[in-house]
Amino acid sequence: MRSEARTIRGQWHGRTYTVEKELGRGATGIVYLVRRGNNRYALKLGEDSISITAEANVLQQLGKAQGIILGPSVHDVDDWLDPNTREKKPFYVMNVIQGTPLTSFIQHRGKEWIAVFVVQLLHFLQHLHDKGWVFGDLKPDNLHVVDTPPKVAWFDPGGMTKMNRMIKEYTELYDRGYWQMGDRKAEPAYDLFSLAMIVLALYHGEFKVKQTLNGAERERLLQQKVINHIPQKPYQQVVWKGLSGRYRSAADMKKEWFWAWHLVKGGPDQHRRHQSANMPGRTVHSAQAQSAPAGHHQQFDHQQFDHQQFKDQHRMSKPRQRKKRFRLGKAISFFFISSFLLFLFALLLFTQTM
Amino acid sequence: MMSKGKLKQILLLTDGCSNEGTDPVAVASLASEYGITVNVVGILDGRSLSDQGMEEVQNIARAGNGVHQLVYSHNLPKTVQMVTRKAMNQTIQHVVNQELKHILGEQEEMDALPPERRGQVVEVVENLGETLALDVLILVDTSASMKHKMASVSQALRDLSISLQSRAGENRFSLWTFPGMRDSAELKMDWSTEFTSLDQWLASLSPKGTTPTGPALEEALRYFAGGDVWSDQEGLLEDNAL
């Protein structure tokens, strides 16, 4: 059965768009891939003109601040009279964000990319928060990776909320209110919870929770998941601090994520030995958790998560560097002494032959 | 931007069709005349709500100028929050449209403005939604069939209070269940800024098998009237210059 090509024509600006296919459905409307002339766009068609106008507003205000990472920008805002229902429907038109969904990119290219995208997202959030906006509905479904070099891009502004207001739209798993780890007031820590949860979900896969769990049980469940599923301890620490709302700004989290990355990549030998000594898929941390006495839940030592701890751990790598430098110095002096001796010997030979 | 105006909502949570007393649709119409919106969340089982029940859910909300949504109990928390917020925006939008008619002439509503000029109106609506005081009377059906849905209901109500407490404006909740021991509905919690001992109240199910939705709504309306609710809704925007 051939479906009839649908066109959407704006009542105010008179532009006509040909619908090619549906891209996705959100709480406020349906997004279509459309064509106008030789250009392709994404068109969001809604029912309620308040929410459509609000979203287009956000995008237009952010338009000037774009450039950190790729996101949608608005080309047209208009109404369309649906000939079937005779209803007037508001819509806005934006650029198409192509690329691979974040989750499948990580599945194909490896978990080492997680750290890269976290930094990119933190950089983006930092700018967004400075502009007075909170993303709100931050989740893997709203993130794509556009390639060469791979860079994370966002779409769906439905959750964008002005600072200090009530979060407009959220997804339970990534919502700190649902986890009873805080309220739904738009503030930087709200987005940082979602981002930490994205990291956990990228390592673990998305998961569900029994509704009957109370607040304390939910928190403990999250701790367990962080310990058991994120293999690198430094990342565990930053993720947990993000989940428990202990970063006040994206800049703080970015700083500590960098320390963590440094520890994972170039840090003490000890860490690498741990990883290689373990079976793939089972980390030293989960092994520890399992060897703990039954019924005893391994808890985080909160003391561990201080920034000081990061610095201390960082310092741990310094003596090693000094040792390296010392060895290098030794080699250089050995070289000089031996070449001096060689010179003396040559001089001796020279004077003898004279 | 402060306002003396207040948003008043009744939120009805039910899984069936009314079978006793007054027509709930008539009571909802009456409530809306007094500026109280009636929102309905219809909870579905594995087997779905009867056609009659679904139609009633829709008609009560329509008559009560409110929002309705049918939902499976595991999706209840998000739905209750969304319905409440949507109803708030709808009420405010209605009032703002009335104001626009005053300013711009009889035909003008927000949709009649070109898209470029809607931004400011949206700003006003969102500001009011964030700052206006809100009273929500929650009316929960506790007939026998609701038994295994009560955990979801209490989760949903706790979740609602987390959302609303994140607003700048003041919120008050009151909790009623129906059918009551003696009357058609029973007061479980007087106006309060948060839910306390929710589980305890929702654990006790009604012994009666009937679903007197209409009389319960009447009871709720009467209780709302006991407060300062009879002030006209037109006064909502008094302190807010558009």
Side-chain angles (χ1 to χ4, degrees):
Chain A
M1 210 167 74
R2 222 185 61 179
S3 65
E4 212 176 309
R6 238 174 101 196
T7 55
I8 292 175
R9 187 171 184 277
Q11 286 191 311
W12 297 88
H13 305 138
R15 296 187 187 111
T16 305
Y17 302 92
T18 310
V19 177
E20 297 198 331
K21 64 170 181 175
E22 187 182 313
L23 288 175
R25 273 162 197 265
T28 53
I30 304 168
V31 181
Y32 297 101
L33 181 69
V34 297
R35 191 166 39 79
R36 178 168 183 269
N38 290 325
N39 296 320
R40 282 211 163 77
Y41 300 101
L43 183 150
K44 186 162 190 177
L45 185 67
E47 305 279 337
D48 164 34
S49 90
I50 289 271
S51 45
I52 289 295
T53 306
E55 285 180 24
N57 256 3
V58 177
L59 291 178
Q60 273 158 347
Q61 287 185 37
L62 280 179
K64 299 142 203 162
Q66 291 270 357
I68 306 289
I69 63 174
L70 191 62
S73 56
V74 177
H75 292 266
D76 190 13
V77 187
D78 213 328
D79 293 331
W80 171 60
L81 190 71
D82 188 335
N84 297 325
T85 58
R86 312 289 303 152
E87 271 178 299
K88 202 155 93 174
K89 289 179 175 170
F91 69 84
Y92 63 89
V93 180
M94 52 199 156
N95 52 319
V96 188
I97 306 283
Q98 274 162 336
T100 321
L102 180 64
T103 311
S104 49
F105 183 93
I106 298 293
Q107 274 164 7
H108 288 108
R109 297 282 294 268
K111 295 205 164 53
E112 60 181 338
W113 282 94
I114 296 174
V116 179
F117 298 140
V118 167
V119 176
Q120 289 177 2
L121 284 168
L122 282 169
H123 190 46
F124 164 66
L125 289 177
Q126 198 179 330
H127 276 256
L128 190 68
H129 297 161
D130 284 348
K131 293 263 171 255
W133 294 95
V134 169
F135 196 94
D137 201 7
L138 194 62
K139 57 175 175 178
D141 284 356
N142 285 341
L143 299 169
H144 269 191
V145 178
V146 286
D147 45 11
T148 47
K151 210 164 186 197
V152 71
W154 65 276
F155 45 91
D156 194 358
M160 290 268 191
T161 309
K162 265 199 183 144
M163 205 63 86
N164 292 320
R165 287 191 178 171
M166 182 178 119
I167 292 290
K168 275 190 194 166
E169 206 180 298
Y170 57 84
T171 302
E172 281 175 351
L173 181 60
Y174 304 93
D175 162 48
R176 70 174 184 189
Y178 171 77
W179 287 98
Q180 297 179 30
M181 304 275 281
D183 57 16
R184 294 197 180 104
K185 198 177 257 309
E187 57 182 23
Y190 185 89
D191 278 343
L192 299 179
F193 177 94
S194 310
L195 180 60
M197 203 64 187
I198 290 175
V199 177
L200 179 57
L202 286 176
Y203 276 107
H204 177 286
E206 293 203 344
F207 49 93
K208 283 197 171 157
V209 194
K210 262 190 262 165
Q211 260 182 3
T212 48
L213 290 188
N214 65 31
E217 286 164 337
R218 281 168 199 233
E219 186 174 340
R220 198 160 59 220
L221 179 78
L222 271 189
Q223 281 188 346
Q224 286 298 314
K225 295 224 178 261
V226 169
I227 294 173
N228 294 342
H229 294 277
I230 301 180
Q232 302 89 346
K233 197 154 190 175
Y235 290 158
Q236 287 179 11
Q237 294 178 346
V238 182
V239 167
W240 182 247
K241 273 183 87 167
L243 289 176
S244 50
R246 289 196 289 148
Y247 291 117
R248 299 184 72 188
S249 72
D252 287 353
M253 187 165 166
K254 203 171 87 183
K255 205 157 67 191
E256 291 207 351
W257 185 265
F258 178 75
W259 287 117
W261 174 82
H262 172 82
L263 287 172
V264 169
K265 288 292 165 188
D269 266 349
Q270 178 196 15
H271 183 77
R272 284 198 184 147
R273 227 178 289 130
H274 271 190
Q275 276 204 314
S276 54
N278 280 280
M279 303 285 283
R282 171 169 296 183
T283 68
V284 64
H285 311 295
S286 61
Q288 273 168 7
Q290 278 166 5
S291 66
H296 169 79
H297 292 277
Q298 194 192 0
Q299 293 281 336
F300 273 98
D301 178 5
H302 285 273
Q303 210 56 45
Q304 260 186 358
F305 296 98
D306 289 341
H307 192 67
Q308 195 53 44
Q309 179 75 14
F310 273 90
K311 285 186 178 160
D312 290 347
Q313 282 179 351
H314 175 62
R315 263 189 224 112
M316 274 166 55
S317 64
K318 274 194 175 161
R320 236 186 104 237
Q321 281 178 0
R322 253 181 246 131
K323 219 172 167 183
K324 242 184 195 168
R325 236 178 271 139
F326 181 61
R327 261 188 234 133
L328 192 70
K330 238 179 171 176
I332 289 169
S333 48
F334 178 72
F335 173 72
F336 274 114
I337 289 167
S338 52
S339 51
F340 182 63
L341 285 175
L342 206 69
F343 175 69
L344 280 182
F345 182 63
L347 201 70
L348 191 74
L349 274 177
F350 184 67
T351 45
Q352 291 264 317
T353 50
M354 287 297 279
Chain B
M1 187 158 79
M2 288 300 289
S3 169
K4 279 181 232 159
K6 195 176 246 187
L7 294 168
K8 301 146 210 159
Q9 297 188 358
I10 291 175
L11 176 64
L12 171 67
L13 298 170
T14 181
D15 72 340
C17 199
S18 68
N19 56 18
E20 198 182 78
T22 337
D23 181 0
V25 181
V27 187
S29 301
L30 193 65
S32 76
E33 287 297 319
Y34 287 103
I36 299 169
T37 36
V38 183
N39 305 305
V40 194
V41 174
I43 306 167
L44 302 165
D45 271 331
R47 56 202 168 77
S48 112
L49 203 67
S50 69
D51 286 351
Q52 202 188 356
M54 267 193 240
E55 209 179 308
E56 193 182 76
V57 162
Q58 201 175 343
N59 288 339
I60 295 173
R62 212 166 268 168
N65 261 333
V67 176
H68 73 276
Q69 186 79 46
L70 296 170
V71 67
Y72 287 98
S73 57
H74 62 268
N75 281 330
L76 205 52
K78 202 173 169 170
T79 306
V80 163
Q81 186 274 138
M82 201 186 70
V83 161
T84 305
R85 201 172 67 91
K86 215 167 152 188
M88 280 168 65
N89 275 345
Q90 193 169 297
T91 310
I92 295 165
Q93 196 179 351
H94 178 72
V95 178
V96 170
N97 272 335
Q98 297 292 320
E99 291 290 311
L100 279 177
K101 274 183 191 163
H102 280 300
I103 299 165
L104 304 168
E106 210 36 54
Q107 263 86 59
E108 298 285 327
E109 287 208 347
M110 192 183 117
D111 289 354
L113 289 172
E116 295 77 30
R117 290 181 58 201
R118 285 176 200 164
Q120 286 163 297
V121 180
V122 169
E123 254 316 292
V124 172
V125 171
E126 292 202 328
N127 249 324
L128 287 172
E130 183 68 25
T131 52
L132 277 180
L134 169 71
D135 279 353
V136 192
L137 188 152
I138 293 145
L139 187 57
V140 182
D141 177 351
T142 50
S143 55
S145 60
M146 286 286 287
K147 187 170 181 172
H148 59 278
K149 296 160 198 155
M150 280 305 158
S152 298
V153 170
S154 69
Q155 168 73 31
L157 295 185
R158 205 173 293 115
D159 197 79
L160 177 68
S161 80
I162 290 175
S163 268
L164 294 182
Q165 275 162 16
S166 308
R167 291 192 331 134
E170 196 181 298
N171 309 291
R172 293 196 310 166
F173 305 98
S174 173
L175 180 68
W176 286 71
T177 57
F178 72 101
M181 290 297 243
R182 268 163 281 124
D183 302 313
S184 47
E186 203 171 299
L187 173 68
K188 297 288 183 181
M189 190 185 81
D190 203 349
W191 291 113
S192 160
T193 51
E194 59 186 315
F195 289 111
T196 42
S197 43
L198 208 58
D199 297 313
Q200 179 197 322
W201 288 321
L202 291 173
S204 54
L205 290 175
S206 309
K208 293 192 215 161
T210 58
T211 311
T213 315
L217 271 174
E218 273 182 334
E219 202 75 45
L221 188 55
R222 213 169 288 136
Y223 179 73
F224 236 134
D228 54 0
V229 292
W230 300 115
S231 66
D232 202 352
Q233 206 192 336
E234 292 294 320
L236 199 66
L237 283 178
E238 255 168 11
D239 295 343
N240 301 290
L242 256 176

